[in-house]
Amino acid sequence: MSYPGYPPTGYPPFPGYPPAGQESSFPPSGQYPFPCGFPPMGGGAYPQVPSGGYPGAGGYPAPGGYPAPGGYPGAPQPGGAPSYPGVPPGHGFGVPPSGAGFSGYPQPPSQSYGGGPAQVPLPGGFPGGQMPSQYPGGQPTYPSQPAAVTQGAQGTIRPVANFDAMRDAEILRKAMKGFGTDEQAIVDVVANRSNDQRQKIKAAFKTSYGKDLIKDLKSELSGNMEELILALFMPPTYYDAWSLRKAMQGAGTQERVLIEILCTRTNQEIREIVRCYQSEFGRDLEKDIRSDTSGHFERLLVSMCQGNRDENQSVNHQMAQEDAQRLYQAGEGRLGTDESCFNMILATRSFPQLRATMEAYSRMANRDLLSSVSLEFSRYVESGLKTILQCALNRPAFFAERLYYAMKGAGTDDSTLVRIVVTRSEIDLVQIKQMFAQMYQKTLGTMIAGDTSGDYRRLLLAIVGQ
């Protein structure tokens, strides 16, 4: 393996994120061994926040290119009410983290940023270094979201009843003691505990044995299995911040990771990521983005990292009509493109409002907004704008598509696979599985089983619920 909605009328809506009961939580102060090696910023432990589970953190897939015009589920079609064609292909996001680290976690190497914007290379994940403008085989069509898809959001992992952190710590200790490792025992514990419970296991392990659980696991595991285990033991916000840091180090930039995280998170999630990035790595996220990107792509990401999107779930249809007119006049209705108009509307409007705008645009322009973005933009700013629109239309379908293309073809983008499965496991992986089966006529578990092996496959399938 290589490492590398609310849609228009008639479509069942997915409620807003985060789901009820899954507000963010962090381990109590001092229980999370954040990596060392970065300039300290007033302590390395997370502040206390409400319990209940943190939604949707984590690194995400990173498509290098986005669907060809007019095919995303829920996208309005030219000439009026949408027919909800299928989701066109996409490519996964992200490059896997690697490297040795302190406190058991891999650490991004240090990097000094220069005074000016970094030169942005074409992503290496594409053949010939070219970002595809459309997908092989043309535009597939898939059925619209079935009534069987559970409304709301539901993860495959939930907190286990009668949880005993000390007992779980003992099970993990025995699994790693002596010659060999009982990987199945590790799988049975890790795959059936929430992230919050894993943090308590980690603290109990150190209390009982005076050793760091993450370091012990790293010494016993390797490769994809190690990466998956480490991802499961990282608190969600830290995983996001760490992934962003990793994406902006060394030569080049993993733009796809920046897009996936910053263009899909809620305001609260982004603000917590920004705070974590500063406190754990001693760096200002916005400054790093400005140093590592340029042009309209830089402006889009800086807008995203403010965490100021309108999150009012009500829709102003008059505003939607006006925004659609403004977008048309900023793009197809003129020579050249007024990029700032697209940035302002897509960075500030709520997702329900954007869906209404997309429907209004389709009726007015006889072309869907995704197609217009493809015509007016290119490379990373196109990808970022499309990510916002695609998540506004159908978030589970967005992630299902990324999973599919992480495993399709020669090799596997294991980092993308790990990131989505882990970070959506307590949020909406049930819906992602349903959309995956609808869109690709095979189950997610079947594709994972055919593309992975060993303990890595067992743990992935246990998380997915196969």
Side-chain angles (χ1 to χ4, degrees):
M1 296 183 186
S2 63
Y3 252 99
Y6 293 82
T9 312
Y11 194 80
F14 282 92
Y17 288 73
Q22 294 193 20
E23 294 76 19
S24 64
S25 72
F26 300 97
S29 176
Q31 290 191 13
Y32 187 73
F34 284 116
C36 319
F38 296 98
M41 297 296 293
Y46 260 119
Q48 286 282 25
V49 293
S51 61
Y54 185 82
Y60 281 87
Y66 279 90
Y72 210 77
Q77 299 303 304
S83 58
Y84 305 104
V87 179
H91 294 275
F93 278 83
V95 175
S98 61
F102 299 90
S103 295
Y105 287 118
Q107 300 297 301
S110 61
Q111 176 191 5
S112 296
Y113 292 101
Q119 197 67 20
V120 180
L122 280 168
F126 298 112
Q130 295 295 315
M131 183 174 291
S133 58
Q134 63 180 22
Y135 296 91
Q139 289 288 357
T141 55
Y142 299 97
S144 59
Q145 184 184 12
V149 172
T150 308
Q151 295 306 296
Q154 183 181 355
T156 56
I157 292 180
R158 297 185 177 185
V160 69
N162 303 315
F163 171 65
D164 186 334
M166 289 293 185
R167 180 183 60 198
D168 287 347
E170 182 180 2
I171 292 171
L172 294 178
R173 172 68 172 157
K174 289 179 179 177
M176 294 183 286
K177 193 175 181 180
F179 293 101
T181 304
D182 185 355
E183 285 87 356
Q184 186 59 53
I186 296 174
V187 168
D188 290 342
V189 170
V190 174
N192 294 288
R193 305 295 184 269
S194 68
N195 189 280
D196 183 65
Q197 289 176 333
R198 291 185 210 114
Q199 306 312 315
K200 291 179 171 67
I201 294 171
K202 197 159 47 176
F205 191 92
K206 183 169 285 189
T207 299
S208 297
Y209 306 110
K211 299 180 69 177
D212 188 279
L213 174 59
I214 304 304
K215 287 183 178 178
D216 277 13
L217 287 169
K218 281 174 65 65
S219 69
E220 297 290 334
L221 305 169
S222 62
N224 295 326
M225 181 66 168
E226 177 186 349
E227 182 185 359
L228 178 54
I229 290 286
L230 294 184
L232 285 164
F233 274 100
M234 287 188 193
T237 297
Y238 178 80
Y239 196 178
D240 268 355
W242 179 79
S243 298
L244 290 170
R245 178 75 181 103
K246 191 78 173 77
M248 293 185 285
Q249 66 183 2
T253 304
Q254 298 172 29
E255 290 86 358
R256 301 180 300 278
V257 177
L258 306 184
I259 290 169
E260 180 62 26
I261 295 175
L262 294 173
C263 292
T264 63
R265 298 297 190 266
T266 66
N267 291 345
Q268 179 183 346
E269 289 167 350
I270 289 174
R271 291 167 185 169
E272 289 172 352
I273 290 166
V274 170
R275 286 194 294 267
C276 176
Y277 194 92
Q278 177 74 65
S279 65
E280 298 307 321
F281 307 137
R283 305 184 70 95
D284 184 278
L285 177 59
E286 182 180 327
K287 287 183 180 178
D288 280 0
I289 288 171
R290 291 188 183 277
S291 297
D292 234 46
T293 61
S294 61
H296 296 292
F297 180 55
E298 173 196 334
R299 296 175 196 175
L300 178 63
L301 293 186
V302 169
S303 293
M304 293 296 97
C305 76
Q306 305 311 303
N308 282 328
R309 180 183 298 281
D310 178 16
E311 292 186 334
N312 189 333
Q313 296 300 294
S314 63
V315 173
N316 183 329
H317 293 283
Q318 179 63 34
M319 179 188 289
Q321 187 66 40
E322 293 171 357
D323 283 349
Q325 184 68 39
R326 294 169 69 184
L327 290 170
Y328 182 81
Q329 292 173 349
E332 292 196 63
R334 57 174 286 170
L335 280 175
T337 306
D338 180 359
E339 293 88 350
S340 63
C341 178
F342 280 84
N343 191 104
M344 186 277 290
I345 292 174
L346 270 65
T348 62
R349 302 295 189 251
S350 69
F351 282 160
Q353 187 67 36
L354 284 176
R355 286 188 286 273
T357 300
M358 295 174 78
E359 182 177 6
Y361 189 96
S362 174
R363 289 193 304 264
M364 180 195 68
N366 200 35
R367 184 196 301 276
D368 67 81
L369 186 52
L370 281 166
S371 299
S372 292
V373 169
S374 295
L375 292 172
E376 300 294 328
F377 296 89
S378 62
R379 298 189 65 184
Y380 303 117
V381 67
E382 175 192 356
S383 296
L385 294 172
K386 282 189 169 183
T387 297
I388 295 168
L389 294 176
Q390 290 165 345
C391 285
L393 288 171
N394 189 326
R395 193 183 304 252
F398 176 86
F399 289 114
E401 180 190 42
R402 301 301 174 247
L403 285 168
Y404 180 78
Y405 284 94
M407 295 180 281
K408 184 179 184 294
T412 303
D413 182 354
D414 291 289
S415 181
T416 291
L417 179 58
V418 166
R419 196 158 49 239
I420 303 177
V421 168
V422 170
T423 59
R424 310 313 294 184
S425 62
E426 296 183 48
I427 302 171
D428 57 359
L429 192 51
V430 168
Q431 285 68 41
I432 292 170
K433 288 167 57 180
Q434 292 168 336
M435 291 305 303
F436 191 99
Q438 175 192 331
M439 292 157 61
Y440 303 111
Q441 292 76 54
K442 64 174 74 175
T443 68
L444 175 58
T446 298
M447 197 160 184
I448 289 175
D451 225 52
T452 59
S453 62
D455 298 315
Y456 175 54
R457 173 170 60 190
R458 274 212 302 274
L459 182 50
L460 282 172
L461 292 177
I463 297 168
V464 167
Q466 287 298 118

